[in-house]
Amino acid sequence: MVTSDDIRTILGSNEALAPVAQQIAEDDSLFDRGLDSFGSVQLMLALEERFGIEFPDEFLTRRSFSTIRAIRETVSAVLQSVAA
Amino acid sequence: MNALAQRAQRAAAVAAQHADAVDREGRFPAEAVAALKAERLLGLQIPSQFEGEGAGLRQVAVVCSTLGQACSNAAMVFAMHHIKVASLVAHGLDSAWHCQLMERIAREQLLVASSTTEAGIGGDLRTSFCAVEAEDGVFSLGKDASVISYGRQADLILATARRHPDAAGSDQVLVALLADQIFLERTSVWDTLGMRGTCSDGFRLEARGLPVAQILPKPFAEIAAQSMLAASHLLWSSVWFGIANAAVDRARAFVQGEARRQPGQVPPTALRLAEVSNTLQALRSAIVAALVRYEDVQGDADAIGSIGFAVMLNNLKTTASEMAVDIVQRALAIVGLAGYKNGTPFSLGRPLRDVLSAPLMIGNDRILANTAKLLLVQKGGGQLMSA
């Protein structure tokens, strides 16, 4: 089970998003809040480390990491496929 | 030859006629651009409902390479124009103001330039210092644009800026500025080794009291990722292919001339020609494969925004730019002094100087560094026909 607060904690350690992490709403665009391509790679790596998963290439799109909700769904999908 | 190829050839013939003068005088390829307008090639990508031809990047790439064989400057101006148009077409359709603009580009054959580079941020197009200041439906913008290619000659400039004065450097928008709406003061002169006719001078750009409708609604981050990256690397590479192709043509003509003088023998330079034609084919294949991949993902925002696609485009840019330089240098080695000297049928000085810009425009190290970051998460395992 992945919660939005789990995601927010990880966003808090992301250089670009750290100052605003706690104010980001579920569907706010992270890219509009200053996330750039390198920031999103760092975010992906942090999520892989935190949840012990590896995102397959087809999940490595802008949309998969564009909002807290999208991240939660992406991580849940990978966790489920690992469990299955 | 199809009709588009014929139109491109006619424009290229004009460009070729003036290419040496454009280079020598470091002036804008005005005759070539007039010919491109006369052939209605500036509106090629504009959708047909806006009086354009709705062509895709593949057709534009072919024109870029045809022009590249004649005049690198004209080809690069044409490529840069269409990179901006690609963004308008991809992201302007839900804005009435930009739809009207597209109609004007097609009808009046307006030339579009780009202003991303800014003093103090180097070549990082995803960061701006300057900001749009909007109030009561109008906005102002002042930008220290360290480079605007053909800024003086363009009818329209698409400029990046921060969304508002308090926005983060990467929170950017793209604004359309018509030439008669802005004030440009030249701050630096483009006096360079090659690509001298792109007139990429530096300017102080000032715009006041313009309707906010001229700001593209999509965030620039999305525009850069969804259309600009692909259009830039595909069209630049096509220009470089044109330059390299013409250099190999000169080397081939030289070798064949030697062969005719010594019947019954294969000139030693023929072996070098065989090698360079091999590299030229590899360059062509790299570009064509990338164009096909680009067409395959059209309409699939996820695929276009994927890390694999960005890595593929980055790789195309670094590979094509290095190969093109290598090819022209090898052509020069085949031709020898006749290529080193200006004013011979085999002169290669101008194309060599021009193509040396390829690894530098968005420096290959910057692109490799970006790819390196993306590879930290990409998983690989791609198949021959799919990645």
Side-chain angles (χ1 to χ4, degrees):
Chain A
M1 178 63 190
V2 185
T3 69
S4 298
D5 280 338
D6 291 339
I7 310 288
R8 267 191 204 96
T9 308
I10 291 168
L11 297 182
S13 61
N14 189 280
E15 200 179 333
L17 299 173
V20 292
Q22 292 312 315
Q23 290 94 55
I24 298 175
E26 189 83 356
D27 293 311
D28 283 357
S29 162
L30 301 180
F31 296 105
D32 288 353
R33 305 300 289 259
L35 189 67
D36 59 10
S37 68
F38 184 42
S40 61
V41 167
Q42 286 179 311
L43 177 59
M44 293 169 194
L45 287 171
L47 290 162
E48 287 188 340
E49 179 70 13
R50 164 70 177 74
F51 295 104
I53 52 176
E54 287 196 10
F55 296 113
D57 278 339
E58 61 266 30
F59 284 79
L60 300 179
T61 65
R62 277 178 72 81
R63 201 181 53 175
S64 305
F65 300 90
S66 57
T67 64
I68 288 176
R69 186 191 302 277
I71 293 172
R72 202 157 40 76
E73 287 168 0
T74 304
V75 172
S76 301
V78 176
L79 281 172
Q80 267 169 22
S81 70
V82 171
Chain B
M1 196 186 291
N2 66 28
L4 177 61
Q6 285 175 351
R7 289 155 69 196
Q9 288 286 2
R10 285 195 295 265
V14 175
Q17 222 180 321
H18 300 279
D20 281 328
V22 162
D23 171 62
R24 198 170 44 242
E25 297 159 24
R27 69 167 175 84
F28 183 68
E31 301 87 348
V33 171
L36 289 167
K37 292 185 177 192
E39 296 290 347
R40 313 289 299 163
L41 289 167
L42 297 189
L44 210 50
Q45 277 188 99
I46 305 281
S48 47
Q49 72 261 37
F50 304 126
E51 301 182 30
E53 298 175 48
L57 281 188
R58 172 191 288 253
Q59 286 99 319
V60 180
V62 170
V63 180
C64 285
S65 111
T66 304
L67 291 168
Q69 298 182 46
C71 171
S72 324
N73 289 297
M76 195 45 84
V77 169
F78 181 76
M80 291 192 275
H81 163 84
H82 273 289
I83 292 163
K84 298 330 282 181
V85 174
S87 290
L88 272 179
V89 172
H91 307 286
L93 289 174
D94 39 14
S95 150
W97 195 91
H98 293 92
C99 287
Q100 257 181 6
L101 181 66
M102 283 188 259
E103 211 167 79
R104 280 194 63 190
I105 291 172
R107 190 183 308 147
E108 302 169 33
Q109 293 288 297
L110 301 183
L111 180 65
V112 189
S114 168
S115 168
T116 53
T117 313
E118 194 173 357
I121 56 161
D124 178 12
L125 65 95
R126 285 289 291 104
T127 306
S128 291
F129 272 150
C130 67
V132 166
E133 296 183 45
E135 207 180 342
D136 302 329
V138 295
F139 74 91
S140 308
L141 174 65
K143 181 166 185 172
D144 285 317
S146 41
V147 174
I148 305 181
S149 295
Y150 55 96
R152 254 306 165 240
Q153 292 81 12
D155 302 303
L156 169 72
I157 295 175
L158 294 186
T160 49
R162 284 184 297 132
R163 185 184 302 278
H164 53 78
D166 300 320
S170 60
D171 185 5
Q172 296 162 290
V173 287
L174 193 63
V175 299
L177 307 165
L178 291 159
D180 60 8
Q181 294 180 320
I182 55 173
F183 175 73
L184 281 181
E185 186 192 352
R186 190 161 76 169
T187 50
S188 68
V189 177
W190 180 253
D191 180 5
T192 49
L193 180 68
M195 287 293 184
R196 297 172 52 77
T198 59
C199 300
S200 305
D201 297 333
F203 295 95
R204 172 68 193 174
L205 181 159
E206 293 282 354
R208 297 252 171 277
L210 304 183
V212 290
Q214 295 186 209
I215 304 170
L216 268 161
K218 282 264 167 65
F220 179 66
E222 220 163 295
I223 297 173
Q226 293 278 327
S227 67
M228 232 179 98
L229 182 74
S232 300
H233 293 344
L234 289 167
L235 297 186
W236 289 350
S237 297
S238 304
V239 171
W240 301 329
F241 172 79
I243 299 172
N245 196 45
V248 171
D249 280 348
R250 289 194 168 187
R252 183 188 294 107
F254 182 84
V255 172
Q256 290 176 350
E258 281 193 321
R260 279 192 289 272
R261 276 193 299 279
Q262 295 170 304
Q265 288 180 40
V266 178
T269 47
L271 204 63
R272 301 282 92 85
L273 180 66
E275 281 177 341
V276 78
S277 85
N278 188 347
T279 313
L280 184 71
Q281 183 182 324
L283 172 59
R284 183 202 301 266
S285 306
I287 299 169
V288 170
L291 276 166
V292 168
R293 179 113 170 76
Y294 170 82
E295 287 176 348
D296 284 349
V297 300
Q298 278 317 288
D300 182 349
D302 276 354
I304 296 175
S306 73
I307 283 189
F309 191 63
V311 167
M312 185 280 289
L313 288 169
N314 281 353
N315 286 343
L316 173 70
K317 195 277 171 181
T318 51
T319 301
S321 58
E322 281 168 14
M323 285 176 105
V325 171
D326 180 45
I327 289 167
V328 179
Q329 280 180 334
R330 289 212 247 165
L332 178 60
I334 291 168
V335 170
L337 273 179
Y340 193 69
K341 203 173 161 204
N342 293 325
T344 83
F346 306 106
S347 297
L348 287 168
R350 175 167 55 80
L352 177 61
R353 286 185 288 101
D354 289 337
V355 83
L356 283 171
S357 66
L360 309 178
M361 51 190 292
I362 310 193
N364 279 1
D365 273 358
R366 183 191 291 274
I367 293 182
L368 280 173
N370 179 266
T371 306
K373 292 167 190 166
L374 299 178
L375 290 178
L376 295 178
V377 286
Q378 198 197 18
K379 301 302 182 296
Q383 297 302 311
L384 177 65
M385 301 304 289
S386 65

